[in-house]
Amino acid sequence: MAEHKDHGSDADKDGRDGDCGVPEEVAALLEAEGVGVSLLIPMTIADACLKAAAMLQARGIAEPRSNAELLLLHVLGLDRAQLLRDWRDPFPPQHYKRWRELLSRKAAGEPVQYLIGEQWFYGLPFAVTPAVLIPRPETELLVEAVLEAADRLWPEASGAEFAEGTEGAGGTASRGAAEALGTTAAGTAGEQGDDGPAGAEGAGEAASAAEIGSEPLAAASAAVPTVVDVGTGSGAIGVTLATLRPRWRVCASDLSPDALAVARTNAASHEAAARMTFVQGDLLGPFAQPRPGSVDGAAGGVAGLRIDVLVSNPPYIPAGDIAGLQPEVRDHEPRLALDGGDDGLTPYRRMAEQLSQLSALPRIVGFELGIGQAEAVADLLRGIGAWREVRIIPDYAGIDRHVLAVE
């Protein structure tokens, strides 16, 4: 392999291909793979990072240094402080095979988040797989906007007493609300198997709309919002809201069962699974009021659920633009989470139409959207005429990225 030989020649010039103290079995392994020992030993962790970054840059990979560091942290099992501490230490040869494998995949264009299986969002680590869209920093602004607006409407539900096990009016109402969604901590634990938290068919299944709206929960409903995250993907929005506001009742839905599995995993990781329910379905379809004589079963038991806060980051890329996306996105992230129809606005139009099928209009609606779509989506919501304020929120780059409608 010419690339390795070139690097090896550089090492020869540095006088590094002599006796370097490599265990014979490691040297044999590297040589059997066609990798000269001089490529690695006595290469330091710093050498590995810098050479990897240079290679990724030569391959046209964006943010090569950041990608190389993330892969190093993953392969070596270090955090950033430890990486700085060990920066000049020899690269552990037992990790080289895995390092080279992941580096090759990154050079071929795979997103580093899928390679390491993680992306941080709103200060929390989220598991990600190719079944879900990788959470973006700009979506954190949607979470912030929803938190701010909802805390004004439901100030009693903004504390963390329930998460800390505090009893009292707030904690009791919150526990009752969780029970109404069929997701109490005891129930979830009892239904979980080796595959993790139960889904729509197990303890995570929501109760019927009649139970959710029953008289004993009237006070809880007034003080605690029911939040639905449509198209949850990894659960970045829904799980974050449930983690930051443990009194809220949060339901996360997605058309993809594989995505829901990832979201459930993340909810469990952040100890929010007992306060959440997960529903498979298309946009607002599972939450529409049941028709006379219909049986609400497959939707997860949430038909007719009163939604107080609707938040969604749906697919919004125009179908014709997908071919021109960055290869990392186009070739690796799920098309189901990208394709928004001919002009990218199909999911918003459908949800706007489906709002009339709900038991009541949400008091807050928050959408993320693509470049140039803000006014069209805002006009959709203004046309419904149900909210006192419909505003557009720019992202960190000044692009109109979110629309928030508040009663």
Side-chain angles (χ1 to χ4, degrees):
M1 292 182 287
E3 184 177 347
H4 291 309
K5 290 179 181 178
D6 290 343
H7 284 297
S9 298
D10 291 339
D12 292 345
K13 294 174 185 177
D14 292 339
R16 293 184 177 181
D17 62 341
D19 182 9
C20 50
V22 184
E24 291 184 5
E25 62 274 17
V26 175
L29 174 64
L30 296 178
E31 292 292 356
E33 294 183 350
V35 180
V37 175
S38 59
L39 173 62
L40 177 62
I41 304 297
M43 180 183 287
T44 65
I45 291 174
D47 292 333
C49 183
L50 296 176
K51 289 188 176 184
M55 186 270 283
L56 293 177
Q57 185 173 26
R59 298 286 182 89
I61 301 299
E63 301 180 341
R65 175 66 179 269
S66 175
N67 278 288
E69 288 187 359
L70 285 171
L71 288 178
L72 263 181
L73 294 174
H74 176 68
V75 169
L76 300 181
L78 303 175
D79 59 30
R80 289 195 177 276
Q82 293 169 326
L83 180 64
L84 291 174
R85 180 196 66 194
D86 299 343
W87 189 241
R88 294 298 174 186
D89 288 355
F91 189 102
Q94 67 270 25
H95 293 303
Y96 180 65
K97 183 177 181 180
R98 181 63 173 160
W99 165 244
R100 194 183 70 158
E101 174 193 345
L102 292 182
L103 192 59
S104 297
R105 290 170 63 183
K106 178 63 253 181
E110 286 191 51
V112 70
Q113 293 89 346
Y114 292 155
L115 294 177
I116 67 176
E118 183 180 82
Q119 169 73 341
W120 284 72
F121 180 85
Y122 217 93
L124 300 171
F126 278 80
V128 293
T129 75
V132 301
L133 200 69
I134 297 167
R136 266 61 172 183
E138 55 264 26
T139 308
E140 295 178 354
L141 296 174
L142 179 58
V143 171
E144 286 184 2
V146 169
L147 287 170
E148 180 183 0
D151 284 348
R152 289 199 302 266
L153 293 178
W154 295 277
E156 302 92 339
S158 62
E161 290 85 348
F162 177 60
E164 297 166 0
T166 300
E167 296 298 326
T172 302
S174 183
R175 186 169 58 252
E179 289 170 352
L181 285 173
T183 55
T184 62
T188 302
E191 294 291 334
Q192 285 183 9
D194 294 336
D195 294 331
E201 297 78 21
E205 182 175 346
S208 70
E211 289 174 293
I212 293 171
S214 60
E215 186 61 27
L217 290 173
S221 297
V224 179
T226 295
V227 182
V228 171
D229 173 21
V230 171
T232 192
S234 67
I237 295 175
V239 173
T240 298
L241 292 174
T243 301
L244 296 178
R245 295 295 182 269
R247 292 184 175 185
W248 291 10
R249 298 166 293 180
V250 180
C251 178
S253 71
D254 204 288
L255 185 58
S256 165
D258 293 333
L260 285 175
V262 177
R264 289 190 189 100
T265 295
N266 285 316
S269 297
H270 298 299
E271 301 182 354
R275 302 186 306 277
M276 295 185 67
T277 188
F278 297 90
V279 176
Q280 183 181 354
D282 190 14
L283 299 177
L284 295 178
F287 309 99
Q289 294 188 85
R291 296 177 181 176
S294 65
V295 178
D296 176 33
V302 293
L305 172 67
R306 180 187 175 94
I307 300 174
D308 297 306
V309 179
L310 168 63
V311 60
S312 181
N313 179 14
Y316 55 69
I317 305 297
D321 292 351
I322 291 179
L325 295 176
Q326 290 180 314
E328 285 192 351
V329 177
R330 179 193 65 217
D331 299 336
H332 297 281
E333 299 201 55
R335 188 180 180 106
L336 184 65
L338 297 172
D339 191 340
D342 290 343
D343 60 358
L345 297 175
T346 297
Y348 306 100
R349 293 194 189 95
R350 290 186 57 207
M351 282 191 280
E353 294 170 356
Q354 291 172 326
L355 285 172
S356 63
Q357 302 170 19
L358 301 178
S359 60
L361 288 175
R363 300 180 68 184
I364 297 174
V365 175
F367 289 146
E368 181 164 321
L369 29 91
I371 296 174
Q373 297 175 341
E375 286 297 339
V377 174
D379 285 344
L380 276 175
L381 297 180
R382 292 186 186 114
I384 296 173
W387 298 280
R388 169 181 50 83
E389 175 189 25
V390 177
R391 62 187 176 96
I392 295 170
I393 302 170
D395 64 15
Y396 298 111
I399 298 169
D400 290 340
R401 182 65 64 183
H402 306 105
V403 169
L404 189 74
V406 183
E407 179 183 83

